[in-house]
Amino acid sequence: MNDKKKLTPLRSEKVLIVDDCRIMRDYLRQMLLEMGFSRFVEAENAEETFERYQTEKPNIVFLDIMLDEEDGLAVFEQLLARDANAKVAIISAHSTADNVKKAMSLGAKGFLVKPFQPKKLFVTLKNMGCEFIG
């Protein structure tokens, strides 16, 4: 991706970033900013995730598979129980075949392995229904 040319989404999606690591949330937010996103909500754990999802109504969610003492896939299942149309991509440093298979079978729109590159994030966003110009 050309650093001098920003891709701008046609819509103004709100993104919920769920990760217990502040550095990872910052990293993902910075990549998304460079792709033209500007509306972000963050959460560090399951409780914050459900609260922010309900109050902020994000269009897309990036959810870490391993939160402090919480299973991100269980959080994903609970999100889907609350909103079957939730657009969620899983992020993880632990990309075992079982984790990827389970996430995708639950309906994840993507699985990003940390540290991921902008191109992979871009493909995942397109799979989530984001349209880009530029």
Side-chain angles (χ1 to χ4, degrees):
M1 197 176 315
N2 185 343
D3 288 339
K4 295 179 183 177
K5 184 176 181 182
K6 289 187 179 181
L7 298 172
T8 306
L10 294 174
R11 298 180 309 273
S12 180
E13 291 94 342
K14 185 184 292 185
V15 181
L16 172 58
I17 302 171
V18 183
D19 199 307
D20 54 355
C21 175
R22 177 74 164 155
I23 293 169
M24 190 61 217
R25 292 194 313 271
D26 291 346
Y27 175 74
L28 179 54
R29 186 177 57 257
Q30 184 58 42
M31 272 194 206
L32 290 165
L33 280 167
E34 291 174 10
M35 293 180 180
F37 290 84
S38 61
R39 300 173 61 207
F40 303 99
V41 182
E42 296 182 13
E44 294 182 27
N45 56 48
E47 183 179 335
E48 287 180 3
T49 300
F50 302 133
E51 176 186 315
R52 304 251 165 40
Y53 192 86
Q54 182 178 347
T55 60
E56 298 290 336
K57 309 217 182 310
N59 305 94
I60 55 181
V61 178
F62 288 94
L63 174 62
D64 188 14
I65 201 167
M66 295 193 69
L67 301 171
D68 278 342
E69 300 179 24
E70 297 170 311
D71 176 4
L73 291 177
V75 173
F76 180 32
E77 288 181 286
Q78 291 176 47
L79 269 180
L80 289 175
R82 297 167 190 228
D83 179 2
N85 297 314
K87 293 181 182 176
V88 179
I90 300 297
I91 52 178
S92 178
H94 307 283
S95 64
T96 67
D98 288 341
N99 283 344
V100 175
K101 185 177 177 181
K102 183 170 182 184
M104 300 312 274
S105 71
L106 288 172
K109 303 298 182 193
F111 195 103
L112 297 167
V113 180
K114 297 176 188 179
F116 48 86
Q117 299 299 311
K119 184 175 182 177
K120 180 68 174 167
L121 177 59
F122 179 74
V123 169
T124 299
L125 288 164
K126 289 188 70 104
N127 289 342
M128 295 174 104
C130 297
E131 297 179 24
F132 292 88
I133 57 173

